[in-house]
Amino acid sequence: MPDPIEVRKVAIESVTDASGLAKLIDDGVIEADRVLAVIGKTEGNGGVNDYTRILADRAFREVLVSKGTRTEDEVKQVPLVWSGGTDGVLSPHATIFATVDPATAVQTDEPRVSVGVAMSEVILPEDIGRPAMVEKVARGVREAMKIAGIDDPADVHYVQTKTPLLTLATITDAKERGHTVVTEDTLKSMDISNSTTALGIAVALGEIEMPAAEQIHKDLSLYSSVASCSSGVELDQAQIVVVGNVRGIGGHYRAGHSVMKDALDADGIWEAIRDAGIELPERPHPSDLGDKLVNVFMKCEADPSGRVRGRRNIMLDDSDVHWHRQIKATVGGVAAAVTGDPAIFVSVAAVHQGPSGGGPVIAIADLS
């Protein structure tokens, strides 16, 4: 049986601020050596050259090294998944997952959060957007499930990944080795890396069969309802964090999920919160949450039809502000209105992650 899990959210008050993590360790809430993963939002542009992700990564890893006994190389293996871009009211923050001593955890037979982390095989630039990447991610997800002690895919509520995207350097590397790449548009490669990863998650969980090459990033009927995929320049493997519920593990956190059917689907967010075990009235209000909701994690996508609930919008036609930033701000506003807290995880480029024009929603609740 894996160890029980502590989940805490901390604010990031400047681009290199990791004081929230340091305080949790200093206060004895978690131990540096027991941190399994960090999932956070940084304040950059969310694009290929968003170096706020690298700055946050460095700051948090420095805390783990200085306050624990793991070596720098060992800490490098801890998945720190940073999604850039806090458009609109979204606030930079990090959610920290750490194991705790089973002897100190609340004992219960109710489903409680378990976490498994794994790194995939190296994803080559020529793998991105192709079946080889789907297969590599699927193998990594299955390994993370084993580590979490999850046998039934139905008990998986959240799979957060970080994968490589294409840069000029990696495109050149592939060409020099005699390979082609799926695109030479580095920003587009971010979307394609995310969508290919999502299909790998869906395959691992039995949500879909192995897709054909021509279905990747094209067949929008294929998706995972629990995948949240980000990509960046800072790694060449898939960092995989599987979050699910296991009976008998102990602790007081529970995960749940649902989907937003479109960018305005607040009910989808409330459904995820209910699925995490928080009892709510028929017409809930943020005040009904108290301090029970740790965080929500969601992906979003501009509807390829260019419409939301029958009304036309110009996100996909706007040459001034990329649609990534517009839809992230929109869904972030809807979600913050539900939770009453703008420090929530909203990430863009959601092809194959939830239904087209919508996206998955994951909630983690503190049921203590």
Side-chain angles (χ1 to χ4, degrees):
M1 183 72 70
D3 287 344
I5 300 295
E6 183 71 30
V7 189
R8 293 296 180 105
K9 180 169 70 177
V10 298
I12 297 177
E13 298 295 350
S14 68
V15 70
T16 57
D17 175 39
S19 61
L21 171 61
K23 188 175 189 305
L24 287 175
I25 297 169
D26 291 342
D27 290 349
V29 177
I30 61 173
E31 297 177 29
D33 291 344
R34 283 184 172 270
V35 172
L36 291 177
V38 177
I39 299 171
K41 291 293 300 181
T42 65
E43 62 202 72
N45 60 26
V48 175
N49 65 333
D50 182 353
Y51 299 111
T52 65
R53 296 184 299 235
I54 296 174
L55 293 171
D57 193 89
R58 180 180 299 169
F60 274 67
R61 291 191 194 279
E62 286 175 354
V63 170
L64 293 179
V65 171
S66 66
K67 293 188 177 294
T69 63
R70 288 185 286 193
T71 66
E72 186 173 335
D73 286 340
E74 289 170 332
V75 167
K76 284 181 180 178
Q77 299 305 307
V78 178
L80 304 190
V81 181
W82 300 106
S83 171
T86 48
D87 303 271
V89 299
L90 291 174
S91 182
H93 69 281
T95 304
I96 298 143
F97 297 82
T99 61
V100 297
D101 184 346
T104 66
V106 174
Q107 301 301 306
T108 177
D109 289 328
E110 291 297 310
R112 291 294 183 262
V113 164
S114 183
V115 177
V117 299
M119 300 288 282
S120 76
E121 304 160 56
V122 170
I123 295 173
L124 300 170
E126 60 266 27
D127 294 336
I128 295 172
R130 292 170 174 160
M133 183 175 182
V134 175
E135 292 170 345
K136 288 180 178 181
V137 170
R139 286 194 289 269
V141 171
R142 294 187 188 108
E143 177 62 26
M145 285 177 62
K146 290 179 183 178
I147 294 168
I150 299 173
D151 300 318
D152 187 350
D155 291 326
V156 175
H157 292 277
Y158 181 26
V159 183
Q160 177 67 57
T161 61
K162 189 78 176 189
T163 51
L165 48 74
L166 291 170
T167 65
L168 180 60
T170 59
I171 292 169
T172 301
D173 170 66
K175 288 181 176 180
E176 288 177 346
R177 290 183 290 104
H179 295 280
T180 62
V181 292
V182 71
T183 181
E184 295 192 18
D185 183 330
T186 56
L187 183 58
K188 184 177 180 181
S189 79
M190 175 184 292
D191 293 14
I192 294 174
S193 178
N194 291 352
S195 62
T196 311
T197 303
L199 291 176
I201 294 167
V203 167
L205 300 181
E207 295 177 284
I208 63 168
E209 298 297 324
M210 181 68 191
E214 59 269 20
Q215 291 178 292
I216 298 173
H217 204 70
K218 293 183 177 67
D219 185 347
L220 302 183
S221 70
L222 303 179
Y223 66 84
S224 170
S225 61
V226 298
S228 175
C229 307
S230 293
S231 52
V233 299
E234 64 266 35
L235 72 176
D236 61 4
Q237 297 168 276
Q239 293 180 334
I240 300 165
V241 181
V242 168
V243 179
N245 295 323
V246 172
R247 290 186 180 274
I249 190 174
H252 48 89
Y253 298 95
R254 181 170 171 175
H257 78 276
S258 186
V259 296
M260 292 180 75
K261 298 178 180 65
D262 61 32
L264 302 178
D265 185 16
D267 286 341
I269 304 172
W270 286 119
E271 286 169 8
I273 294 170
R274 283 192 176 96
D275 194 48
I278 298 178
E279 294 184 5
L280 297 168
E282 183 178 353
R283 293 179 62 83
H285 183 270
S287 61
D288 297 317
L289 296 172
D291 57 0
K292 296 176 183 177
L293 183 65
V294 178
N295 207 357
V296 290
F297 306 83
M298 58 193 69
K299 293 290 292 189
C300 58
E301 185 83 5
D303 194 306
S305 72
R307 291 178 178 268
V308 174
R309 303 195 181 183
R311 297 291 193 182
R312 184 174 71 94
N313 63 72
I314 52 86
M315 280 188 284
L316 296 174
D317 290 324
D318 193 334
S319 298
D320 295 316
V321 181
H322 195 276
W323 67 264
H324 277 194
R325 310 199 74 166
Q326 298 190 45
I327 192 65
K328 195 186 305 176
T330 299
V331 173
V334 172
V338 167
T339 65
D341 183 359
I344 46 182
F345 187 94
V346 181
S347 177
V348 77
V351 173
H352 301 314
Q353 298 152 76
S356 180
V361 186
I362 299 92
I364 297 180
D366 181 349
L367 301 182
S368 61

